Amino acid sequence: MDEEWLDIGEVAARSGLAPSALRFYEKRGLIEALGRNGLRRTYRPDVLERLALISCARGAGFTIAEITRFLVADPDDSGLRDRMAAKALELDLRIAQLDRLRASLRHAATCTHEPLVECPEFKRAVGAVAAATAL
Amino acid sequence: MDEEWLDIGEVAARSGLAPSALRFYEKRGLIEALGRNGLRRTYRPDVLERLALISCARGAGFTIAEITRFLVADPDDSGLRDRMAAKALELDLRIAQLDRLRASLRHAATCTHEPLVECPEFKRAVGAVAAATAL
DNA sequence: CTGCGACTTGAAGTACGGTTCAAGTCAAGA
DNA sequence: TCTTGACTTGAACCGTACTTCAAGTCGCAG
């Protein structure tokens, strides 16, 4: 143990991803294998960090293609930081939107209007979310 | 004009949704037509409110099936508010996660590490997001 | 009354992000 | 040595959310 590589099964177990997902990511250029142990892919241990980054970005709504663009960027890709800054701005909007939606849900969860969809406060809140979405 | 119903084309134009999307929503039980004008569906004007609600929920990551469950609930469905409160809690987690991700992106956009993925601060931030995701 | 154009239908297609399948291969343990 | 079990492959399939297609139908302007 304590080898300088991890078997795909090991990576799958530690990352919580299925081997099929790892192969899928490889096909998409998100990760690459170090080599093979027989037929089995082996990975450098730091692939786990990369997978954490990928999962985190996926969870935030980035597509595989977007993540690939971030990860395979040339070190001298001056556009990378710009794209990240742009993504941060997108997140600002998204977070604000979710905040409003959460407020609507919280009101809905406690208000006593029947039916809920007729609650004026709820309708107002939904209207605010919708108006912001349209922009 | 000023009729008590809207043609599907009118609804599509005002809601920003394609007629095909409206038919799709109808099939899924999200909306229903008032009647027909010839072959064409007609809707009550308040369908626009409902569509705003749907778009807003979709934007927040709710699936069609989830939205249906909220919209077709019996007025006396005591579980509705509970589900909404649960969704609000889900949103809490999601928002917190996006906040962390945004912080990572903001750091990334301004830090000068090359390559970025090796930046210790960035790695730390990604690790924090990943740790939170795992929960 | 005729033609245009926007709708109608069900079925098939698209994009995304994978999973599942059948058949085969390999390393390691008994 | 032989079996076992986890991997290998490409291809097919899945669910979500729609769009597009072909063929048909209708209201309305001219």
Side-chain angles (χ1 to χ4, degrees):
Chain A
M1 58 191 68
D2 193 29
E3 322 222 31
E4 71 281 5
W5 53 262
L6 298 172
D7 186 277
I8 188 175
E10 197 66 17
V11 173
R14 293 199 199 176
S15 67
L17 296 165
S20 62
L22 298 179
R23 289 195 299 271
F24 178 76
Y25 286 170
E26 184 175 321
K27 228 177 276 178
R28 287 288 190 279
L30 281 175
I31 58 173
E32 54 183 79
L34 173 62
R36 298 288 177 120
N37 176 24
L39 278 187
R40 296 180 193 187
R41 286 162 177 80
T42 56
Y43 294 94
R44 287 171 38 194
D46 65 7
V47 80
L48 290 172
E49 262 172 37
R50 198 175 178 102
L51 289 172
L53 174 55
I54 292 168
S55 296
C56 141
R58 286 279 306 121
F62 289 67
T63 66
I64 295 285
E66 281 174 328
I67 299 169
T68 303
R69 287 211 307 282
F70 285 119
L71 288 180
V72 306
D74 293 336
D76 63 343
D77 179 354
S78 60
L80 179 60
R81 259 88 177 180
D82 290 346
R83 291 206 301 279
M84 295 188 117
K87 270 294 169 186
L89 288 179
E90 273 180 38
L91 278 185
D92 283 343
L93 296 178
R94 184 157 183 75
I95 288 170
Q97 182 74 336
L98 291 182
D99 257 332
R100 281 188 290 266
L101 188 70
R102 179 174 55 180
S104 306
L105 279 176
R106 280 187 181 149
H107 172 74
T110 56
C111 102
T112 55
H113 249 92
E114 292 293 355
L116 172 63
V117 286
E118 295 307 325
C119 165
E121 170 62 15
F122 183 65
K123 282 162 86 165
R124 194 204 53 73
V126 168
V129 178
T133 306
L135 298 183
Chain B
M1 59 192 70
D2 195 28
E3 323 221 32
E4 70 283 4
W5 52 262
L6 298 172
D7 186 278
I8 188 176
E10 197 66 17
V11 174
R14 293 200 200 174
S15 67
L17 295 165
S20 61
L22 297 178
R23 288 196 300 271
F24 178 76
Y25 285 171
E26 184 175 322
K27 229 176 278 178
R28 286 288 189 279
L30 280 174
I31 58 175
E32 55 183 81
L34 172 63
R36 299 288 179 121
N37 175 23
L39 278 187
R40 296 179 194 189
R41 286 163 177 81
T42 56
Y43 296 94
R44 287 171 38 195
D46 65 8
V47 79
L48 290 171
E49 261 172 38
R50 196 174 178 102
L51 289 171
L53 175 55
I54 292 168
S55 296
C56 141
R58 286 277 307 117
F62 289 67
T63 66
I64 295 284
E66 281 175 327
I67 299 168
T68 304
R69 287 211 307 281
F70 284 118
L71 288 180
V72 306
D74 294 336
D76 64 344
D77 179 355
S78 61
L80 179 60
R81 259 86 178 182
D82 290 346
R83 292 206 301 278
M84 294 188 116
K87 270 293 169 186
L89 289 179
E90 273 180 37
L91 278 185
D92 284 342
L93 297 178
R94 183 159 182 73
I95 289 170
Q97 181 75 335
L98 291 182
D99 257 332
R100 281 188 290 267
L101 188 71
R102 180 174 54 180
S104 305
L105 279 176
R106 279 188 180 148
H107 171 74
T110 56
C111 103
T112 55
H113 249 93
E114 292 293 356
L116 171 64
V117 285
E118 294 307 325
C119 165
E121 171 62 15
F122 183 65
K123 281 162 87 166
R124 194 203 55 71
V126 168
V129 179
T133 306
L135 299 182

